[in-house]
Amino acid sequence: MIVEAGHFALVLALCVAFVQGVLPIVGAARGNAAWMAVAPQAAIAQWLLVAVAFLALMHAYVTSDFSVLNVVLNSHTDKPLLYKISGVWGNHEGSMLLWVLILSLFGAAVALFGGNLPAAFRARVLSVHAWLAIGFYLFILLTSNPFERMLPPAENGQDLNPLLQDPGLAFHPPMLYLGYVGFSMAFSFAVAALIEGRVDASWARWVRPWTLLAWCCLTAGIALGSWWAYYELGWGGWWYWDPVENASFMPWLAGTALLHSATMVEKRDTLKGWTVFLAIVAFSLSLLGTFLVRSGVLTSVHAFATDPARGVFILLLLVFVIGGSLALFAWRGPTLRNTGLFQPISREGAMLLNNLAMMTGAAAVLLGTLYPLFLDAVGGAKVSVGPPFFNATFVPLMIPMIAAMAVGPLLAWKRGDLAAAMKRLWVAAAAAAMVALFIWQMQGDGAIFGALGIGLATWLLVGVLVEWGERIRLFRAPAGEAIGRLVRTPRASLGMTFAHAGLAIAIAGIAASTAWKVESIQTMKPGDTVDVAGYAYTFQGARRADGPNYTAVRGTFTVRKDDRPFATLEPEKRIYAVRSQPTTEAAIRTTFLGDLYAVIGDPEGTEGAFVTRIYFNPLVAWIWAGAMLMAAGGLLSLSDRRYRVGLAAGRRRDAPADASPTRA
Amino acid sequence: MSAAVSFPMKRFLFLLPLALFLVIAGYFAMGLTRDPRVLPSVLINTPVPEFALPSIQGRDRGFASTDLQGGVALVNVFGSWCVACRVEHGFLMQLKQRGEIPIHGIDWREPDREAGPRWLAKYGDPYALIGDDPESRGVIAFGVTGAPETFLVDRQGVIRHKHVGPLTPEVWDRTLKPLIAELRKQ
Amino acid sequence: MKLRLLLILWTWLAAAPALAVDPREVLADPALEARARALSQELRCLVCQNQSIDDSDADLARDLRKLVRERIAAGDDDRRVIDYVVSRYGDFVLLRPRLTPATYLLWFGPLAIVLLGLLALAVFYRRNRADDPAVPAPLSPDERRRLESLLKDGPR
């Protein structure tokens, strides 16, 4: 009954979305305030209805209602409660329901917090948003209904893929979807602006917070996924350039570009067409990711069970949403007028360079991801495009961007002084050179790329700190004044400092963990000791350690450093009973300089020996720490009062903060 | 994108993304009609690669590439662990009883030495020659990715056709039988 | 593999994460072993898709790793080892596609995109500058003469 109620609520949501998709936009065209006023109410109603549908499905999972096909396929009575809940979105149908829940949540948020938007504009935004929702409701109801019953009910379920029974994974999809779907807001704003033919600073101010929120969630979601892969998949890798990973990374790149270009529209009234284009592209790439994962056109370990009907439907949706918005862009875009002019060497110039790097990076990733499909479609050979390709193309594209990133914030708007900026960066250059040389000397051969990577990270980090120091006049003004400036620094610019520093830290982690990973694979009997990167691991044996729905063997390693006890690591190898699928649970001890990482494999012989794999992953945790710092920077910027008050104040300029430090 | 760009040029620039997207969507549409997991063999119309596999328990000879000279034959990759192999097994037995064509087997990755012979004892043994392939030597030589797979080899020992998945009467009637008749005529 | 995603998935072949390389496979000579690992990372695991044989513990991946090691131990150079595997499974098995006319677009595409982007930037700035009040146009000879005469007059 509850399940039927959920199904019915979803159908109602579709009906409401139709109303929201038509009345307000027609009202806006005719100046009918009553029709426009339908939009906020409808958006909130949609959200409530989808929430009912979602909770109904969750109820079926939590109570193990095995008359629901989706529950049978993805749950089991023995599963811990957390995974019964996360099982709701651990499958195709349920994850689509989560997708529309978040989509309607954003719509409701605009309805609730968008009071400062002009009524006609808000009506158009919500109508556009409703059309996106209609597409997805239809997709769920017609091809992927999670409420389908199964009669007679099954005795028990088939359990959730054990790889997904993990806390990291429980939260990864909601985060990721907040990111993907969050870009739908920027998209709706862009399309509404094209319909109105007006893009100005206040438009950019409305778009930026939604984009920032989506960007933060996507950053966190990607980091969470990569962290999960790192500890769950058992060989210490954290990024594989799998099509599905790429599908989440491309919107991130486009979203990052959008954040920067929206700043330029806001502050400098320039690059309007380009910014609208990026807003469309960021969401289009999110949709593309959905298509790739769910249509079966590409193979990926992450792919959902695929069904051609779904593929066709999603493709039609893509053509409708992306094709439609790009057609509108082609039609209305050329009428957008830019007034702000600037020189290549300027803050705007640096941001444009960022845009170029982000978008060429995204294009390279897109090309690599889709190339096998293209070649196959034109009757060419079957090829694979794997990590070696992406590392060879994407990484070189990013290096100049990162080098320029330290300089950009030091340049003035409109026209910057490169020589002066470089002069102020001598500390960063000296620090980078010293660190790189030192590390290269210390690590010896083969480490040149690692040393360069760390040098680059140092350059960026110190460059960011120099800019921050200048901003608050650290060491130049009396301490009191510096503190006063620190306190008054707008959170948006502090957010930028955080985010850029976070990237520097992540780069150091990426470089070090790639260049100096230590791996040791061996068979160990109880009492055997191996030395890995200065830590002595003694295998103490293994014992059974079964959980609620799995059997497991847990090994124990005692780790000594400099002959003193340092840590105990207890990796597990589990076999989940229902699907008889094994998983590894790596034991990880994170230290400042690197992770100790131990995995246990199969037993060998009769003396209690096991195959073991032990790694030392230098600085690897910096990757996620850096990513979290980036997301935190985004949130900090989001909390800037400029986005909370006086949103509609138009072109008011926040003075000292926006002025370049050269003029400060 | 400033006003100085001539208008048609500007139009074109703004149309470019749409055009690009439509091209991509076209490829997607084509992609939907194909299964990315199907991997065509690169070995069609090339001589059987060299291999020599030992015999399985209970037989006195194995199976090697030299055994494929002189007559049209099928080479079938199977294993007792392979569920789909059970599906096609009855049909292979029929082919053997009808005396249609010699079928040779590659017994792939048995968990132990007895498993293959036990399976054949239970369900019947349609194979003329069988090679034991615990380390995928023969399988890699044929570029096999999964079981069952079946190859048609002509009398010069050249691979002419590869079938992925269980062999069914339909596949036999539609594809293999005509091909075999033609190869035998040559 | 996998990443993230989490989402995900129902995998059609369980991507069993686990120990891929096993100590019994490891070659005694560290230099040869390092070559074997590097080669393994370039070869795709055919039953898992998108995973290198180095990362996979699928049986076929394991046997391919063994084959790679045997060939290396027998003295084959990297090229020959790769060629052998490609002769069996086609280019599909390579995670780093070979540079052939069919992959020119793939390999040179990113570079072409960068160049186009830079070109677009250059055009953008040239047009931008033409009417940028922030950057005064150079003085014409007439203007210069006037300026000089004004300067000669001195401050008034």
Side-chain angles (χ1 to χ4, degrees):
Chain A
M1 205 30 227
I2 292 182
V3 170
E4 276 67 32
H7 191 173
F8 183 64
L10 198 62
V11 175
L12 270 187
L14 173 67
C15 302
V16 173
F18 266 115
V19 174
Q20 185 188 331
V22 176
L23 280 191
I25 202 165
V26 174
R30 297 191 179 169
N32 183 329
W35 287 17
M36 288 192 264
V38 168
Q41 271 116 332
I44 293 168
Q46 254 197 70
W47 173 55
L48 292 174
L49 288 166
V50 179
V52 167
F54 191 79
L55 289 174
L57 185 62
M58 191 179 277
H59 180 264
Y61 266 85
V62 171
T63 59
S64 292
D65 181 351
F66 294 124
S67 67
V68 178
L69 182 62
N70 195 253
V71 179
V72 175
L73 293 177
N74 298 289
S75 197
H76 192 277
T77 44
D78 291 345
K79 200 167 61 165
L81 182 63
L82 173 64
Y83 306 127
K84 282 184 180 161
I85 294 174
S86 71
V88 174
W89 55 76
N91 63 87
H92 167 73
E93 291 84 358
S95 67
M96 286 318 299
L97 198 57
L98 176 65
W99 176 286
V100 291
L101 177 69
I102 295 176
L103 191 69
S104 63
L105 174 72
F106 275 102
V110 168
L112 290 172
F113 305 117
N116 51 14
L117 296 173
F121 186 62
R122 180 161 70 162
R124 289 193 172 103
V125 167
L126 286 174
S127 276
V128 172
H129 206 68
W131 282 102
L132 294 177
I134 290 169
F136 281 97
Y137 294 144
L138 286 174
F139 178 60
I140 294 178
L141 291 168
L142 297 179
T143 74
S144 320
N145 190 345
F147 300 110
E148 207 169 304
R149 289 281 191 179
M150 172 168 143
L151 291 172
E155 290 279 304
N156 210 328
Q158 299 176 6
D159 210 358
L160 178 66
N161 185 333
L163 285 174
L164 304 186
Q165 298 192 25
D166 176 278
L169 257 220
F171 299 109
H172 164 80
M175 271 302 191
L176 202 63
Y177 286 11
L178 277 169
Y180 280 165
V181 180
F183 286 136
S184 70
M185 258 4 289
F187 176 87
S188 297
F189 274 92
V191 171
L194 284 174
I195 293 173
E196 289 197 345
R198 194 168 64 94
V199 171
D200 56 21
S202 55
W203 178 85
R205 266 183 201 207
W206 293 319
V207 166
R208 224 172 148 258
W210 298 103
T211 310
L212 255 177
L213 182 63
W215 182 87
C216 292
C217 294
L218 191 56
T219 305
I222 293 174
L224 211 54
S226 134
W227 181 53
W228 167 79
Y230 171 71
Y231 68 71
E232 180 71 20
L233 296 177
W235 55 92
W238 45 268
W239 190 259
Y240 303 89
W241 296 109
D242 179 85
V244 173
E245 297 173 6
N246 294 347
S248 68
F249 192 45
M250 291 184 284
W252 187 88
L253 290 168
T256 308
L258 172 61
L259 277 182
H260 289 85
S261 77
T263 309
M264 288 190 274
V265 176
E266 180 189 337
K267 296 202 200 288
R268 301 280 304 121
D269 198 50
T270 186
L271 296 174
K272 292 174 184 172
W274 173 246
T275 303
V276 166
F277 173 66
L278 286 180
I280 293 173
V281 165
F283 184 61
S284 299
L285 288 172
S286 300
L287 285 184
L288 193 74
T290 309
F291 174 73
L292 293 179
V293 186
R294 295 162 200 268
S295 66
V297 294
L298 292 175
T299 55
S300 157
V301 188
H302 302 290
F304 285 95
T306 53
D307 165 350
R310 288 179 191 161
V312 171
F313 195 106
I314 306 182
L315 183 57
L316 290 176
L317 195 64
L318 286 190
V319 171
F320 170 66
V321 175
I322 307 180
S325 56
L326 288 178
L328 186 66
F329 175 72
W331 178 37
R332 304 298 296 264
T335 59
L336 299 173
R337 291 267 167 272
N338 297 316
T339 60
L341 295 165
F342 56 91
Q343 294 268 289
I345 302 292
S346 63
R347 188 82 65 86
E348 296 94 321
M351 288 195 192
L352 205 49
L353 208 60
N354 151 293
N355 277 204
L356 178 69
M358 291 292 151
M359 295 316 288
T360 49
V365 174
L366 185 67
L367 186 65
T369 307
L370 297 182
Y371 206 77
L373 179 71
F374 292 160
L375 206 53
D376 188 35
V378 298
K382 286 259 186 185
V383 297
S384 302
V385 179
F389 169 82
F390 293 103
N391 291 336
T393 53
F394 183 77
V395 176
L397 278 175
M398 287 303 116
I399 289 173
M401 197 272 303
I402 293 160
M405 226 172 121
V407 186
L410 284 167
L411 297 173
W413 292 105
K414 290 182 88 169
R415 175 183 224 179
D417 183 345
L418 187 59
M422 294 310 286
K423 219 182 276 169
R424 278 177 289 164
L425 282 172
W426 71 268
V427 195
M434 265 162 47
V435 170
L437 272 178
F438 173 73
I439 289 182
W440 185 44
Q441 283 303 316
M442 204 176 68
Q443 295 289 340
D445 45 64
I448 186 79
F449 286 106
L452 289 176
I454 303 264
L456 194 63
T458 311
W459 158 256
L460 177 56
L461 183 65
V462 178
V464 167
L465 293 178
V466 164
E467 192 269 341
W468 177 74
E470 298 247 340
R471 192 184 282 282
I472 64 167
R473 310 219 69 191
L474 192 65
F475 307 132
R476 303 209 173 175
E481 186 190 335
I483 292 171
R485 280 174 174 270
L486 176 59
V487 175
R488 287 193 307 273
T489 306
R491 294 198 196 158
S493 64
L494 208 55
M496 176 205 76
T497 303
F498 269 55
H500 286 190
L503 181 64
I505 290 168
I507 291 167
I510 291 168
S513 65
T514 308
W516 300 297
K517 173 175 177 159
V518 183
E519 178 187 60
S520 175
I521 306 164
Q522 60 279 308
T523 305
M524 293 173 89
K525 290 195 293 291
D528 283 357
T529 298
V530 293
D531 191 86
V532 178
Y535 295 90
Y537 293 72
T538 306
F539 183 52
Q540 305 290 359
R543 60 186 190 285
R544 284 291 288 268
D546 296 351
N549 54 347
Y550 59 84
T551 59
V553 170
R554 180 184 298 159
T556 303
F557 295 88
T558 51
V559 184
R560 297 174 73 82
K561 179 174 176 140
D562 302 330
D563 260 344
R564 277 204 296 279
F566 180 79
T568 302
L569 294 178
E570 301 203 308
E572 290 181 19
K573 183 173 175 102
R574 295 181 182 166
I575 300 201
Y576 280 78
V578 179
R579 295 197 175 191
S580 65
Q581 185 177 333
T583 70
T584 55
E585 303 292 320
I588 301 171
R589 169 71 188 261
T590 299
T591 70
F592 184 70
L593 286 178
D595 279 12
L596 285 67
Y597 186 112
V599 181
I600 185 161
D602 294 321
E604 179 97 358
T606 51
E607 297 170 63
F610 277 83
V611 170
T612 64
R613 248 185 162 188
I614 296 169
Y615 298 88
F616 183 73
N617 294 312
L619 305 196
V620 74
W622 293 31
I623 298 172
W624 302 296
M628 286 305 135
L629 196 58
M630 289 164 82
L635 289 177
L636 197 62
S637 175
L638 192 61
S639 72
D640 195 302
R641 53 189 290 278
R642 246 185 315 161
Y643 298 120
R644 279 177 288 131
V645 296
L647 281 180
R651 313 217 38 210
R652 179 174 56 84
R653 299 282 298 272
D654 288 284
D658 288 347
S660 129
T662 34
R663 279 180 256 141
Chain B
M1 278 153 259
S2 83
V5 182
S6 66
F7 203 71
M9 176 70 184
K10 198 164 172 178
R11 266 273 113 117
F12 170 77
L13 276 178
F14 279 79
L15 267 169
L16 208 56
L18 180 63
L20 208 61
F21 167 74
L22 290 178
V23 170
I24 292 178
Y27 280 116
F28 281 160
M30 282 194 258
L32 280 176
T33 63
R34 292 160 182 264
D35 183 343
R37 282 176 249 153
V38 173
L39 187 59
S41 174
V42 290
L43 293 169
I44 304 299
N45 296 329
T46 64
V48 168
E50 256 179 59
F51 66 93
L53 296 171
S55 85
I56 64 167
Q57 215 169 50
R59 285 203 174 213
D60 49 11
R61 61 173 293 202
F63 173 43
S65 38
T66 46
D67 297 322
L68 289 167
Q69 299 287 335
V72 180
L74 290 182
V75 177
N76 175 257
V77 175
F78 73 99
S80 65
W81 47 268
C82 153
V83 184
C85 299
R86 271 285 293 124
V87 175
E88 68 171 7
H89 204 76
F91 183 64
L92 293 184
M93 290 303 291
Q94 277 183 34
L95 286 180
K96 180 196 167 167
Q97 274 147 21
R98 302 203 309 240
E100 297 265 11
I101 186 169
I103 306 172
H104 304 304
I106 294 181
D107 189 4
W108 187 18
R109 270 201 157 271
E110 292 298 349
D112 57 71
R113 295 228 50 184
E114 284 86 36
R118 210 185 310 125
W119 191 78
L120 291 172
K122 188 163 166 197
Y123 298 114
D125 181 352
Y127 301 109
L129 294 172
I130 299 182
D132 190 16
D133 197 8
E135 295 196 327
S136 310
R137 291 311 150 86
V139 159
I140 293 173
F142 275 96
V144 166
T145 55
E149 282 190 18
T150 306
F151 293 85
L152 175 61
V153 179
D154 72 9
R155 67 183 85 200
Q156 283 78 41
V158 173
I159 297 174
R160 291 303 186 181
H161 185 75
K162 165 180 163 173
H163 177 73
V164 177
L167 208 55
T168 60
E170 295 75 57
V171 174
W172 172 262
D173 291 338
R174 208 160 359 100
T175 319
L176 285 173
K177 201 172 170 185
L179 206 54
I180 291 167
E182 196 184 314
L183 290 176
R184 282 191 170 139
K185 262 184 264 161
Q186 287 170 3
Chain C
M1 138 159 70
K2 33 291 314 20
L3 186 347
R4 124 219 19 330
L5 248 281
L6 350 3
L7 334 181
I8 10 321
L9 9 66
W10 191 122
T11 56
W12 52 283
L13 263 178
L19 303 184
V21 177
D22 166 321
R24 283 161 297 189
E25 300 171 12
V26 173
L27 295 174
D29 179 339
L32 293 186
E33 174 64 17
R35 270 178 57 203
R37 291 300 295 273
L39 278 185
S40 303
Q41 281 162 12
E42 303 255 325
L43 294 172
R44 178 175 193 156
C45 162
L46 293 140
V47 283
C48 355
Q49 315 253 12
N50 284 330
Q51 206 172 354
S52 77
I53 59 171
D54 193 56
D55 289 340
S56 169
D57 71 343
D59 291 333
L60 184 57
R62 178 176 314 217
D63 289 339
L64 274 166
R65 284 197 301 270
K66 264 188 219 161
L67 184 98
V68 165
R69 285 181 168 73
E70 270 177 25
R71 296 207 148 239
I72 286 181
D76 276 11
D77 62 18
D78 292 357
R79 174 106 214 151
R80 288 191 54 181
V81 176
I82 295 271
D83 282 349
Y84 176 81
V85 182
V86 170
S87 71
R88 296 295 166 256
Y89 289 101
D91 282 346
F92 184 75
V93 79
L94 298 176
L95 287 172
R96 183 198 302 270
R98 286 183 168 170
L99 186 61
T100 64
T103 58
Y104 282 167
L105 182 62
L106 175 70
W107 281 106
F108 299 123
L111 187 65
I113 295 166
V114 175
L115 294 179
L116 280 178
L118 288 174
L119 183 73
L121 267 190
V123 171
F124 172 76
Y125 282 124
R126 219 168 45 109
R127 311 244 180 217
N128 199 345
R129 179 156 15 179
D131 40 12
D132 184 350
V135 188
L139 298 178
S140 67
D142 261 2
E143 287 169 330
R144 187 161 305 151
R145 243 170 279 128
R146 257 188 72 209
L147 178 68
E148 277 164 16
S149 69
L150 282 173
L151 284 176
K152 242 179 270 165
D153 291 345
R156 264 177 279 198

